């Protein structure tokens, strides 16, 4: 009988591995700094909640938890393509990384109380390594190595679902100076000069790198700060009413309690990695001090 994941990677009662109600294995973190969880399925961060705060990440009450299908919420890892496959109509949306079983590589308890977790995935001569750091802040970074003998392109999106008390009093600040592609109309629009508010289905790819993006949850009087690293695209999405009703793994009214702001390199800003080359994209999530 191989040693259990907890025996190999557990850290006393701060990080334990156990079967989720669905039967899937997940790591559960509980420290004086935060609570959190991640699944081997998709290398998927499913929850993050600093002590004394409301959850930062949204997780649908209707999400599937089964091999081969993505978890609805948390931070899905979209790779090596974003959206529909460019040429294979039957291929799964958003690539194969978020529905693959990732391998545990290591876990570490840092001196400051942060728990660091590394997971890996290899497929199609792509080598991925995810580093998760659960502390007062959440850090996630994905290192991508192109192990093929020729340069290749790929898309990567950390498809983060943010929990909101009410989308009607929320706004996204920090992208006012960026042009964006409106995926619903197909139009590319110039910088708006104002914060993003949600009043209808919203599906936009903002181009350009920014230092910080703020997800302002007006009703909670809370702001989550996103600090992207090596990200030249930001996707902003809310399915709104009709699309929510068409999503079997998403409640009809759950659009009111989430928005996605995705740290990405997609479309015109996709990654181009030489043979044997590597690229790293990541994010840090924190709350503004009161
Ligand atoms: O990131 C926005 C988006 O591309 C939307 O178009 C919508 O499809 C969303 O991703 C969710 O995609 P999924 O395949 O997870 O249902």
């Amino acid at each position: 009988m191989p040693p259990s994941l907890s025996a190999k990677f557990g850290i006393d009662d701060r990080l334990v591995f156990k079967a989720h109600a669905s039967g899937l294995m997940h790591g559960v973190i509980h420290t004086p700094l935060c609570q959190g969880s991640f699944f081997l399925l998709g290398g998927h961060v499913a929850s993050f909640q600093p002590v004394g705060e409301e959850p930062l990440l949204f997780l649908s009450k209707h999400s599937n938890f089964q091999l081969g299908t993505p978890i609805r919420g948390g931070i899905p890892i979209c790779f090596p393509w974003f959206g529909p496959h460019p040429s294979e109509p039957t291929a799964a949306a958003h690539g194969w990384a978020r529905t693959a079983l990732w391998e545990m590589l290591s876990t570490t308890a840092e001196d400051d109380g942060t728990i660091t977790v590394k997971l890996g995935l290899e497929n199609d001569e792509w080598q991925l390594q995810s580093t998760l750091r659960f502390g007062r802040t959440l850090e996630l970074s994905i290192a991508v190595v192109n192990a093929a003998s020729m340069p290749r392109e790929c898309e990567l999106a950390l498809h983060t679902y943010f929990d909101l008390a009410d989308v009607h009093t929320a706004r996204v600040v920090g992208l006012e100076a960026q042009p964006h592609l409106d995926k619903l109309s197909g139009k590319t629009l110039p910088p708006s000069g104002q914060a993003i508010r949600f009043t209808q289905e919203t599906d936009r790819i903002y181009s350009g790198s920014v230092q910080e993006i703020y997800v302002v949850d007006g009703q909670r009087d809370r702001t989550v700060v996103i600090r992207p690293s090596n990200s030249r695209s930001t996707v902003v999405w809310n399915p709104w009413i009709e699309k929510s009703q068409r999503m079997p793994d998403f409640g009809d009214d759950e659009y009111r309690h989430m928005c996605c702001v995705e740290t990405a390199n997609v479309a015109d800003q996709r990654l181009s990695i030489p043979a044997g080359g590597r690229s790293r994209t990541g994010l840090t999530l924190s709350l503004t001090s009161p």
Side-chain angles (χ1 to χ4, degrees):
M1 182 74 169
S4 72
L5 283 170
S6 277
K8 282 184 72 178
F9 299 107
I11 301 175
D12 49 59
D13 59 351
R14 290 175 288 174
L15 168 53
V16 297
F17 288 83
K18 53 188 175 184
H20 177 262
S22 62
L24 289 179
M25 282 308 283
H26 68 327
V28 179
I29 286 152
H30 198 145
T31 75
L33 301 178
C34 72
Q35 296 182 35
S37 62
F38 61 94
F39 283 78
L40 302 187
L41 170 63
H44 195 121
V45 175
S47 63
F48 174 64
Q49 183 173 5
V51 166
E53 301 293 346
E54 301 276 324
L56 261 65
L57 304 179
F58 166 87
L59 186 66
S60 172
K61 293 180 178 61
H62 302 262
S63 176
N64 294 304
F65 290 94
Q66 62 192 61
L67 296 182
T69 60
I71 294 167
R72 177 69 68 189
I75 310 180
I77 299 169
C78 303
F79 180 89
W81 64 86
F82 181 76
H85 188 280
S87 60
E88 297 278 335
T90 59
H94 291 326
W96 38 257
R98 67 172 182 167
T99 53
L101 211 48
W102 289 55
E103 179 193 1
M104 278 302 304
L105 300 177
S106 69
T107 57
T108 312
E110 314 286 351
D111 293 345
D112 68 355
T114 298
I115 299 290
T116 298
V117 178
K118 292 183 187 285
L119 301 106
L121 176 66
E122 291 197 32
N123 187 33
D124 188 27
E125 297 186 291
W126 291 108
Q127 296 169 356
L128 302 181
Q129 184 173 111
S130 172
T131 302
L132 315 176
R133 300 190 73 242
F134 291 89
R136 278 303 291 171
T137 66
L138 174 66
E139 291 178 40
L140 163 57
S141 75
I142 305 286
V144 177
V145 171
N146 171 15
S149 57
M150 80 291 281
R152 292 194 289 175
E153 293 187 338
C154 60
E155 293 179 296
L156 173 68
L158 306 178
H159 198 298
T160 311
Y161 285 73
F162 290 94
D163 192 83
L164 297 173
D166 185 347
V167 72
H168 298 96
T169 62
R171 62 188 189 282
V172 175
V173 178
L175 296 166
E176 299 79 58
Q178 315 304 123
H180 75 269
L181 166 66
D182 182 325
K183 287 176 57 185
L184 302 172
S185 67
K187 290 182 181 153
T188 296
L189 299 166
S192 70
Q194 55 189 3
I196 300 163
R197 291 179 182 277
F198 299 95
T199 57
Q200 59 189 357
E201 183 179 353
T202 304
D203 197 347
R204 305 173 185 171
I205 301 176
Y206 288 81
S207 54
S209 298
V210 294
Q211 293 292 316
E212 291 184 339
I213 302 168
Y214 306 95
V215 179
V216 181
D217 189 344
Q219 185 163 317
R220 271 195 189 119
D221 191 21
R222 168 173 107 165
T223 297
V224 177
V225 183
I226 308 167
R227 292 184 179 84
S229 65
N230 187 33
S231 161
R232 294 183 300 283
S233 324
T234 305
V235 184
V236 177
W237 178 60
N238 185 291
W240 215 245
I241 300 167
E242 284 75 26
K243 181 148 192 176
S244 297
Q245 292 167 349
R246 298 196 300 270
M247 293 162 62
D249 60 347
F250 191 79
D252 289 356
D253 70 343
E254 286 190 310
Y255 74 94
R256 291 191 48 219
H257 301 294
M258 55 66 71
C259 69
C260 285
V261 180
E262 305 160 36
T263 303
N265 288 295
V266 299
D268 297 347
Q269 289 79 32
R270 67 185 51 234
L271 296 168
S272 182
I273 305 180
R278 64 184 296 137
S279 176
R280 179 184 289 274
T281 295
L283 59 79
T284 299
L285 303 182
S286 58
L287 287 170
T288 50
S289 49

